[in-house]
Amino acid sequence: MKRIEAINDFVIKFANVNGSGSASANELFAKAILRMGVPVSPRNIFPSNIQGMPTWYEARVCEKGYLGRRGGVDMMVAMNPQTWDADVAEITPGGYLFYDSTRPIPAAKFRQDIEVIGMPLTEISNNTYAEPRQRQLFKNIIYVGALSVLLDVEAEVFEKLFAEQYRGKEMLLDSNVRALHLGRDYAREHLQAPLGIRVRRADQVGDRIFTDGNSAAALGCVYGGATVAAWYPITPSSSIPEAFQKYCDKYRVDPETGRGNFAIVQAEDELASIGMVVGAGWNGARAFTATSGPGISLMTEFIGLAYFAEIPVTLINVQRGGPSTGMPTRTQQSDLLSCAYASHGDTKHVLLFPEDPHECFEHAAAALDLADRLQTPIFVMTDLDIGMNQRLCRPFAWDDARQYDRGKVMTAEELEAGKDFGRYKDVDGDGIPWRTYPGTHPTKGSFFTRGTTRDPYARYSERGPDYIYNMERLCAKFRTAANLVPQPVLRGAARPTPLGVIYFGSTSPAMQEALDVLTASGVDLDAMRLRAFPFPEVVDSFIAAHEQVFVVEQNRDGQMHAMLVNELQVDPARLVKVLHYDGTPITARFITQAIQTHLQGARATLKEAA
């Protein structure tokens, strides 16, 4: 058997039982590698119950800096008997299996083409600790200690992490360090180390930070001027308002009075939460809600009201698997259509597609500006993979002198001077009318807010021409939005090519690696990462410049593909769907194989035709 040999380039996967405390230990392992200057990208795959069900934690270690899932597992840490067979089967030939050998396992349960490392973890833990919960929790730290020897990770890095985590809690610090060295001592005395895969100090992390998208979006809302959040708990978005609360306690408190300058409401349901946000936006506050697909479904009528009454609203949708409850703790990009056209009647909404926590921060702040500027709902379309998994990303840029873009707001002085105010009147051709805040002037600038049709001066009207005027103005505003939203990012191939690829959001990390692999195999593609809807003109030009364009997304029905065809009048035959929707983040190998398979099939068809 030829075992896998690699330094700073491997995938390790932990198979555990949910509720066992393994997540903290596995995260500790990933952070230790990061502290050695080696980029690591972990992903937690967990069930939707509290405990007892299988959970996995996959860490991609890659000195080259690829942060997407590669595909394949080089080492499996198998701690769950329920999933043993599937976990062992997942290991790449020549890879490694680390397991708890306290109880004997039949030889038939192992593979001949992998290296097996057994360690009596339960026995060691039981002999050391008396309390059952301690036995379970410290068993996780013991296997981390053993792995640190097997993979050549420095003990001092773990000790420093413990010191930071348990500062002022010396008892916890000492007990965790002890458990770590129990594992290290056993591995040094009884196991052959290091393995063929190992970690070596590098300097490839730089000034990047390690955070999750939900925390980043919450901080972005603070930076963007949000003072109101209303929400109802739903996985995987609940940590956004929780983090917003934490950041507001730090940045939204009056230093003189000690009073908070913010309002955060956990509403009784999603309908109430979006209603509160619409009311706050109407009143001039910057407000947002955070939810997921089922919440969007419930909020649809209020979203339509905000669209038609033209009230600024920001919605952060951390997408998950659907329909219905679907897979609430798995990731997808399956709410594109439901958000882009949310509400009955003719509606179109602005969507932003962040690729990582850095853009979650940027886009959350930008969404609040866009909502005011365009006077409409803005959706930040993140997902579980970005939102709940920690990722290396560029540090956030915070400018204390930042000025909020409030858009067209008429002042009391302008009203007093006799400036014409028509709440729904297009005065300069961009489709965006002027508005006033409640109470701006004692006698001027007031209007009746309604979800029914009206004329340009907000007077009730069922006249066809008034309705058409308003609907066409909303279309003009949507066209204006295409120039205001974050623009696409282009990556040109080294050589001219008739092939292109379009991708967005959380597909980005895997796509970067797939493009490099495809180029190395002789397949050149021009690439465009979409960052927003409506699509700027450059998207149409990009598609027109290529004979075929692959559209990579994580849903069953090709929702981005459908939007491109619908909005740009593109011939569907020119767009090739690359769809991944099993609930796990897309891998570079999946993308590469899908594109290569399609091209091979196309070449075979041409050959037969000839």
Side-chain angles (χ1 to χ4, degrees), residues 282-283 412 415 436-446:
W282 173 87
N283 203 42
L415 290 167
T436 57
Y437 296 140
T440 295
H441 191 281
T443 60
K444 300 177 181 179
S446 60

Side-chain angles (χ1 to χ4, degrees), residues 463-499:
R463 293 179 64 251
D466 286 335
Y467 178 76
I468 291 174
Y469 172 84
N470 201 55
M471 295 301 287
E472 290 186 348
R473 182 181 57 76
L474 290 172
C475 286
K477 180 163 69 171
F478 195 70
R479 289 191 296 271
T480 297
N483 297 317
L484 300 177
V485 297
Q487 299 297 295
V489 176
L490 291 167
R491 170 176 165 170
R495 293 176 292 273
T497 175
L499 302 175

Side-chain angles (χ1 to χ4, degrees), residues 482-604:
N483 297 317
L484 300 177
V485 297
Q487 299 297 295
V489 176
L490 291 167
R491 170 176 165 170
R495 293 176 292 273
T497 175
L499 302 175
V501 62
I502 287 175
Y503 61 101
F504 62 98
S506 62
T507 61
S508 181
M511 193 71 236
Q512 298 304 315
E513 182 176 5
L515 287 169
D516 288 347
V517 173
L518 288 164
T519 299
S521 69
V523 178
D524 294 303
L525 296 103
D526 293 322
M528 171 177 279
R529 177 168 68 87
L530 299 178
R531 301 174 72 206
F533 173 76
F535 306 124
E537 289 184 10
V538 67
V539 179
D540 199 7
S541 300
F542 179 85
I543 295 172
H546 297 88
E547 295 175 12
Q548 282 196 322
V549 176
F550 297 92
V551 182
V552 181
E553 50 187 313
Q554 299 184 84
N555 57 67
R556 183 196 70 181
D557 293 339
Q559 295 185 26
M560 181 60 76
H561 178 280
M563 289 168 65
L564 289 166
V565 171
N566 184 55
E567 296 294 328
L568 303 179
Q569 308 289 302
V570 177
D571 179 1
R574 302 184 66 173
L575 301 180
V576 181
K577 300 177 184 177
V578 177
L579 307 178
H580 182 274
Y581 51 92
D582 68 358
T584 62
I586 196 168
T587 68
R589 289 181 179 178
F590 179 91
I591 297 171
T592 303
Q593 183 177 359
I595 291 176
Q596 288 177 332
T597 299
H598 175 83
L599 294 175
Q600 289 167 2
R603 283 194 291 267

Side-chain angles (χ1 to χ4, degrees), residues 438-462:
T440 295
H441 191 281
T443 60
K444 300 177 181 179
S446 60
F447 61 94
F448 193 89
T449 304
R450 51 166 54 92
T452 51
T453 56
R454 63 271 169 167
D455 70 7
Y457 289 89
R459 297 173 299 212
Y460 182 82
S461 171
E462 293 188 19

Side-chain angles (χ1 to χ4, degrees), residues 267-285:
E268 61 267 33
D269 54 32
E270 284 90 351
L271 282 81
S273 65
I274 186 64
M276 293 173 185
V277 170
V278 170
W282 173 87
N283 203 42

Side-chain angles (χ1 to χ4, degrees), residues 249-519:
D249 287 340
K250 184 175 182 179
Y251 298 111
R252 287 265 187 272
V253 175
D254 188 304
E256 295 182 2
T257 65
R259 295 184 60 184
N261 298 321
F262 59 92
I264 302 174
V265 182
Q266 181 178 321
E268 61 267 33
D269 54 32
E270 284 90 351
L271 282 81
S273 65
I274 186 64
M276 293 173 185
V277 170
V278 170
W282 173 87
N283 203 42
R286 290 199 154 187
F288 77 95
T289 188
T291 189
S292 192
I296 294 294
S297 298
L298 291 168
M299 294 177 181
T300 299
E301 187 172 3
F302 266 123
I303 293 170
L305 171 64
Y307 172 79
F308 202 54
E310 299 181 64
I311 299 170
V313 172
T314 295
L315 303 97
I316 303 175
N317 181 3
V318 190
Q319 298 168 90
R320 69 188 207 184
S324 188
T325 305
M327 295 190 293
T329 59
R330 299 291 191 268
T331 194
Q332 280 192 6
Q333 297 172 311
S334 54
D335 296 345
L336 305 185
L337 293 174
S338 64
C339 290
Y341 307 109
S343 186
H344 54 279
D346 294 323
T347 57
K348 288 183 183 180
H349 300 294
V350 176
L351 314 182
L352 308 184
F353 306 121
E355 69 164 345
D356 64 3
H358 177 88
E359 286 198 344
C360 284
F361 172 82
E362 285 191 337
H363 287 193
L368 293 158
D369 272 349
L370 287 167
D372 270 350
R373 176 81 176 271
L374 294 165
Q375 302 172 31
T376 197
I378 306 292
F379 292 79
V380 180
M381 303 294 289
T382 177
D383 57 39
L384 185 146
D385 183 30
I386 302 174
M388 295 193 71
N389 288 316
Q390 292 190 309
R391 190 85 56 83
L392 271 178
C393 67
R394 289 174 292 150
F396 308 146
W398 189 288
D399 182 5
D400 287 326
R402 173 187 171 94
Q403 298 292 314
Y404 304 137
D405 184 352
R406 289 291 190 174
K408 296 179 181 178
V409 180
M410 198 168 290
T411 65
E413 292 75 17
E414 289 171 319
L415 290 167
E416 188 65 30
K419 188 171 182 179
D420 180 43
F421 176 68
R423 175 63 186 95
Y424 299 106
K425 184 178 181 180
D426 185 359
V427 296
D428 51 16
D430 64 0
I432 306 170
W434 285 83
R435 62 175 174 142
T436 57
Y437 296 140
T440 295
H441 191 281
T443 60
K444 300 177 181 179
S446 60
F447 61 94
F448 193 89
T449 304
R450 51 166 54 92
T452 51
T453 56
R454 63 271 169 167
D455 70 7
Y457 289 89
R459 297 173 299 212
Y460 182 82
S461 171
E462 293 188 19
R463 293 179 64 251
D466 286 335
Y467 178 76
I468 291 174
Y469 172 84
N470 201 55
M471 295 301 287
E472 290 186 348
R473 182 181 57 76
L474 290 172
C475 286
K477 180 163 69 171
F478 195 70
R479 289 191 296 271
T480 297
N483 297 317
L484 300 177
V485 297
Q487 299 297 295
V489 176
L490 291 167
R491 170 176 165 170
R495 293 176 292 273
T497 175
L499 302 175
V501 62
I502 287 175
Y503 61 101
F504 62 98
S506 62
T507 61
S508 181
M511 193 71 236
Q512 298 304 315
E513 182 176 5
L515 287 169
D516 288 347
V517 173
L518 288 164
T519 299

